[in-house]
């Protein structure tokens, strides 16, 4: 009995248990509401179904959340990732739209390289503001969040730029090995980030800087360079996510592309168990958090919840998820349950004294 209880406590104490449990409950609830929710079919060599759509639509958010995880683990935050998605998509689509042969692979590669270069420069700008000048991360990235959206509008001249490029469209809607190509891009990015942060000392250095930047600097770690690198990686991830977003619709809208994706990314990171105070980070938890956010969005659409109440519904669910996985909340709740006295029985009642 003691061994069973010990295993149970170890299981529920694992950092991925509660996010995974919430994702399972959401999938089960959707299956009960709509029995065909988890059905997948093979058509023309491609897999189709709601689970595949969730994975495909989660790919841009996973990319943004991966970069956000590294930034948050350094004790910072990046509010500019949505604007970076819009800028990168706008540059790529604008360049492709001006070419005579939009289906040329060389044209698409050049467009992607140009957009990625600009995104890296803007990420370096954020890094300089935070790591070199010493501006608070929320203020430094808020500058690019506002100015970057205007820059995307300038690039597109306030218009929606449409393109007809199959190679570019494949980034968001292409398939490989029966699955959407976007899933493999997100998976490759996750494995690459995990390899650099878990197979090298980079991850430990990032966590040490987030835990105590001053102590890390005194220990010989160049904290400024680590913070700078985190913002550059975040910008690169946001650029790839911007390619996916614009490729899904074969157009670039400087006003709508990547709008509020930074908030969903922060929620995914927090749901995954990474503290906003910095320090330890969990990439696997971030991926599960992104899947929870996208599953919640799909649930809102599947249940025909009105747009006026969908954001409120998402907020309530996210708050519930965060409370469920918070150790302090669970400890207080379990303590209250233990302190509730059992109902009195007849045997417990004191016997009346019989006068002598």
């Amino acid at each position: 009995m003691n061994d069973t209880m010990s295993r149970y406590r170890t299981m529920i104490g694992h950092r991925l248990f509660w996010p995974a449990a919430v994702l399972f409950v959401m999938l089960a609830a959707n299956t009960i509401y709509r029995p065909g929710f988890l059905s997948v079919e093979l058509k023309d060599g491609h897999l189709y179904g709601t689970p595949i759509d969730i994975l495909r639509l989660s790919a841009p958010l996973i990319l943004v959340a991966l970069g956000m995880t590294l930034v948050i683990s350094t004790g910072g935050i990046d509010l500019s990732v949505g604007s970076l998605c819009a800028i990168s998509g706008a540059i790529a689509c604008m360049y492709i739209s001006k070419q005579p042969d939009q289906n040329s692979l060389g044209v698409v590669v050049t467009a992607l390289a140009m957009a990625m270069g600009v995104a890296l420069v803007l990420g370096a700008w954020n890094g300089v503001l935070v790591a070199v000048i010493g501006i608070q991360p929320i203020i430094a990235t808020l500058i690019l969040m506002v100015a970057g959206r205007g820059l995307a509008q300038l690039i597109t001249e306030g218009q929606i730029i449409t393109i007809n490029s199959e190679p570019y469209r494949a980034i968001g809607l292409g398939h490989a090995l029966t699955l959407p190509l976007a899933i493999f891009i997100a998976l490759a990015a996750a494995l690459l980030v995990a390899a650099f942060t878990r197979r090298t000392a980079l991850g430990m250095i990032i966590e040490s800087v987030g835990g105590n930047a001053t102590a890390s600097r005194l220990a010989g770690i160049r904290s400024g360079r680590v913070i700078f690198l985190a913002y550059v990686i975040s910008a690169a991830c946001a650029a790839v996510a911007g390619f996916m977003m614009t490729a899904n619709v074969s157009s670039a809208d400087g006003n709508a592309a990547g709008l509020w994706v930074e908030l969903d990314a922060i929620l995914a990171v927090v749901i995954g168990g990474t503290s906003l105070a910095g320090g330890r980070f969990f990439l696997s938890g971030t991926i599960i958090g992104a899947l929870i956010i996208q599953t919640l969005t799909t649930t809102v659409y599947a249940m025909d919840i009105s747009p006026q109440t969908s954001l409120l519904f998402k907020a309530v669910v996210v708050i519930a998820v965060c409370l469920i996985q918070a150790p302090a909340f669970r400890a207080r709740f379990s303590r209250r349950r233990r302190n509730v006295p059992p109902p009195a029985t007849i045997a417990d009642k004191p016997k009346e004294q019989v006068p002598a």
Side-chain angles (χ1 to χ4, degrees):
M1 182 65 180
N2 292 333
D3 292 340
T4 303
M5 290 299 297
S6 177
R7 292 176 182 175
Y8 172 75
R9 290 173 181 172
T10 302
M11 180 181 66
I12 64 175
H14 194 276
R15 55 183 173 80
L16 293 181
F17 174 79
W18 291 107
V22 169
L23 180 60
F24 175 79
V25 170
M26 291 178 64
L27 293 175
N30 277 283
T31 303
I32 294 173
Y33 180 79
R34 193 172 57 173
F37 183 81
L38 295 179
S39 61
V40 177
E41 61 176 350
L42 183 64
K43 183 185 297 183
D44 298 330
H46 302 153
L47 288 175
Y48 294 95
T50 304
I52 304 299
D53 290 338
I54 291 176
L55 292 175
R56 180 179 63 84
L57 296 174
S58 296
L61 180 56
I62 289 174
L63 286 167
V64 176
L66 287 173
M68 186 72 73
T69 301
L70 299 182
V71 171
I72 289 178
S73 64
T74 64
I77 201 164
D78 191 353
L79 298 179
S80 65
V81 288
S83 297
L84 286 170
C85 291
I87 292 172
S88 61
I91 292 174
C93 290
M94 177 60 75
Y95 180 81
I96 293 174
S97 67
K98 294 183 178 300
Q99 304 305 311
D101 184 10
Q102 297 187 10
N103 289 314
S104 171
L105 184 60
V107 168
V108 174
V109 171
T110 303
L112 296 179
M114 291 174 55
M116 178 61 72
V118 173
L120 292 177
V121 170
L122 294 176
W125 166 258
N126 282 335
V128 169
L129 292 181
V130 176
V132 179
I133 300 178
I135 300 178
Q136 289 291 330
I138 192 171
I139 301 300
T141 57
L142 183 63
I143 295 172
L144 185 57
M145 174 186 177
V146 177
R149 190 64 64 176
L151 179 59
Q153 293 275 22
L154 287 175
I155 294 172
T156 60
E157 298 178 351
Q159 306 295 321
I160 298 178
I161 306 300
T162 58
I163 59 175
N164 186 20
S165 174
E166 285 301 321
Y168 189 79
R169 185 173 178 271
I171 299 174
L173 299 176
H175 285 76
L177 301 177
T178 72
L179 291 173
L181 183 60
I183 297 177
F184 291 102
I185 295 175
L187 179 62
L191 293 176
L192 187 62
V193 174
F196 276 103
T197 57
R198 296 310 183 193
R199 296 297 180 181
T200 67
L202 180 60
M204 187 179 299
I205 292 173
I206 291 175
E207 291 177 346
S208 65
V209 170
N212 193 324
T214 303
S216 300
R217 186 176 67 254
L218 294 176
I221 298 175
R222 298 181 182 272
S223 303
R225 291 186 180 182
V226 174
I227 295 173
F228 177 86
L229 179 62
Y231 282 96
V232 172
I233 294 175
S234 178
C237 292
V240 179
F243 300 152
M244 286 186 185
M245 293 174 185
T246 52
N248 282 334
V249 292
S250 294
S251 63
D253 185 353
N255 186 44
L259 190 63
W260 309 127
V261 71
E262 58 272 2
L263 301 184
D264 283 344
I266 294 171
L267 286 175
V269 174
V270 173
I271 290 174
T274 301
S275 173
L276 287 175
R280 295 195 64 188
F281 63 91
F282 309 101
L283 296 176
S284 54
T286 294
I287 294 174
I288 294 178
L291 292 174
I292 289 175
I293 296 297
Q294 184 56 51
T295 304
L296 182 57
T297 302
T298 304
T299 302
V300 169
Y301 294 147
M303 293 185 175
D304 293 329
I305 298 176
S306 63
Q308 292 79 9
T309 58
S310 61
L311 295 177
L312 178 61
F313 176 78
K314 287 179 65 175
V316 171
V317 173
V318 168
I319 290 173
V321 170
C322 292
L323 288 177
I324 288 173
Q325 69 173 2
F329 177 81
R330 295 201 309 269
R332 182 174 298 180
F333 182 75
S334 61
R335 193 182 305 118
R336 285 186 177 181
R337 293 188 60 183
R338 287 197 300 267
N339 291 337
V340 174
T345 61
I346 297 178
D348 296 332
K349 292 183 179 180
K351 296 181 181 180
E352 297 181 357
Q353 295 291 333
V354 180

